[in-house]
Amino acid sequence: MAGPEIQKIAFVGDYPPRKCGIATFTHDLSTAVASIAGTECIVVPVDDIDGGYEYPPEVRFQITEQDRDSYRRAADFLNFSNVDVVSLQHEFGIYGGSGGAHILTLLRDLRVPVVTTLHTVLPQPDKTLRRVMEQLVDLSARLTVMTERSRVTLCDVYKVPEEKIDLIAHGIPDRPFADPNFYKDQFDLAGKQVGLTFGLLSPNKGIETVIKALPDIVRSAPDFVYVVLGATHPSLLRSEGESYRIGLERMAKELGVQKHVVFYNRFVDLEELTSFIGSADVYITPYLNEAQAVSGTLAYSFGCGQAVISTPYWHADELLADGRGVLVPFGDSAAIADATIDLLRDEPRRHAMRKRAYLLGRDMVWSNVAGLYSASFRRARQSRPDAPKPLAIKTLDEQPLAHPKMRLDHVLRMTDSTGIFQHAVYSLPNFQEGYCTDDNARALILTVLVEELGADSPGLHQVASSYAAFLNHAFDPELGRFRNFMSFDRKWLERDGSDDSQGRTLWALGTCAGRSRRRSFQSWAVQLFQQALPACAKTTSPRTWALALIGIHEYLRRLSGDRLVDQMRDTLTDKLIDLYERTATDEWPWFEEVASYANAKLSHALILSGRWSGNEKALRIGLHSLRWLAAQQLSPDGRFRPIGCNGFSRRGEPMAAYDQQPIEAHAMVSAAIEAHNAEDDPFWIDQAHLAFDWFLCRNDLGQPLYDSSTGGCHDGLQEGRVNENQGAESTLAFLMSLAEMEQLETSLAISAPPKEAALASAHDPNKALRLVHAD
């Protein structure tokens, strides 16, 4: 039976002029579908740079990669645009959020069927990637893959019904079969034997394996030239510059084969690309990753009738089977040399291989592939419910509350080459008060959190280096401790800093060691963490122990086999437990006679350590004490009311209502999130939201602490007014809370069972957030 008529299709994914394989694929597929069916095709691309790209007219809406609200707006746009089907291109790394989870926000709000093309199907995903994939599968009407191996993996690993999957080869341009010598003269390669690799340059492509093979190849074929065609991958270029390409060039020179290597450092258009492919005698794909599900460069070269030598990643293993190409082991330069020499010597075999590839490739030309996609789109339309989801106008109760955008303006304003200033006069840095280790530690933690949110930048890296350098300079190796206060003229004001600054710096170092993506930061942080940790056991401050325990947890994320650090975790955990048991009563289940400042950090540390070390007593005390603290910090109006620093809360006495400090709200946000991770109780999600909302008017004065005009946070609530100064501690407390709330929403979204989350979100998205597995 013929499928329903499709008049308008939206393609979501990367798109030119962005330079990547997904962008090229999205362009070629949408162009081919529009051509064969006369269907209106619009494009919704994802931007990975500020301001996006200068797109052609078919691009109708742009998504900002790391902005979750941008995905919601894209869904609204598509719903109101009378689109019949959405064709989603999915690849890990092109959508924002943990594991690319932001794309789920778009899919949940769409009321039209989605056909998702999976460019990579991981056979052994980690927990986050698996949950994202499970929901992506559930929210898609159909899935398309390009290899049989990917189809089998979907069925076996992700339990996808076979009837939901369409196997469609990667499309290729249609060009005539021609002798390579026809094209060589236009590249000044006449009389040469040519090997070619093309695509965006990055270390996973394995180019160095071919360069190491060149000495053997040119001894047998002195006129051989290896052409590496393609610009360095933009993301690699932004983070590391041309270091990979430069290293390859130096390798070629060291091996004495520089006359036989050509680096063509440019992203070429289709016409130029097909000419380059046509000039090659052999095409080489030396990829290093077996799970490479599909390679557009391999498909193009094979379909254009080239003799291909490849490592046996999934796509190549299928496409080049039965003598249609030559497969060599991963990273084996000698095998690449032997295979290349054999093909260059055996011309009849090489041309027979080319002819078989070209004939098989006729089924892969874009006109055929577009027809198969069109059929998949029709099947997706047939599978939609008779009554589509209505265009939703949602009340506040039916959707998660919006968060402010992450703005680092005030942090940057407060930072110079030395570090971050600790105080401000209104929004101006207060030079007179200088710097402190406490705030530079907080600022360094924030940079790692922002990096995890995908908002990394050279500017962020620069200030992170300043914060790290400050901490490094603050350490006194003779004492094994950190100094804290430094004047504006860069003079230390003390030999030994507060106990709190020791613990907080260990927290920052552990975070860098366990979570930073910068290798140099990891190495530095590990070394300094190990030097500074022993002194913490000699302190008498429970907050020092707690902050150090949080740092230990972060450190052990990456280095869980470190026995000395693990033993210190046990030591500090026992200290907190002993303190609690000597002080706590049924009416006062707390660690001290006074609940003073950064209170939730004490409970937070025991929850973390108890959960991850298997210490049930620590976990129980942490959760019980935090639940008591949450009750103490709840106003009669149901708002978060942190214990005021003007008197604190003493056993048997009224709690001080003012001054309320931002660090208390941040401490509660962090602790509540960890409590939820530990026992999966929606009560803790409510507590995290209550504490975070304190920054945003939901407090005793009904006034915002966060200043959206500056990006800073006021220094607290005083009786009857807001403290107008926007110091580092307060601003960092808000921004760290915002980052953790963003991570929480992403985590909850990808943890919910897909079908339950989809059903619940139709009525109460906040309820959907709570349908989570125990972590």
Side-chain angles (χ1 to χ4, degrees), residues 557-617:
R557 283 172 177 259
R558 183 167 273 133
L559 299 170
S560 59
D562 192 322
R563 293 181 64 242
L564 293 178
V565 175
D566 200 52
Q567 289 168 6
M568 182 62 78
R569 175 172 63 181
D570 292 341
T571 297
L572 298 181
T573 300
D574 289 343
K575 282 177 174 288
L576 276 178
I577 291 174
D578 181 63
L579 185 65
Y580 179 87
E581 291 181 331
R582 285 189 283 111
T583 308
T585 64
D586 291 342
E587 296 76 24
W588 184 262
W590 195 241
F591 302 83
E592 303 169 292
E593 295 292 334
V594 180
S596 53
Y597 65 97
N599 293 298
K601 286 298 176 194
L602 304 179
S603 304
H604 183 184
L606 283 188
I607 294 169
L608 264 181
S609 295
R611 180 183 174 208
W612 292 102
S613 68
N615 187 328
E616 291 295 329
K617 179 188 284 188

Side-chain angles (χ1 to χ4, degrees), residues 470-482:
F470 189 98
L471 300 184
N472 192 64
H473 183 47
F475 185 66
D476 184 340
E478 292 183 11
L479 296 179
R481 287 171 61 93
F482 297 90

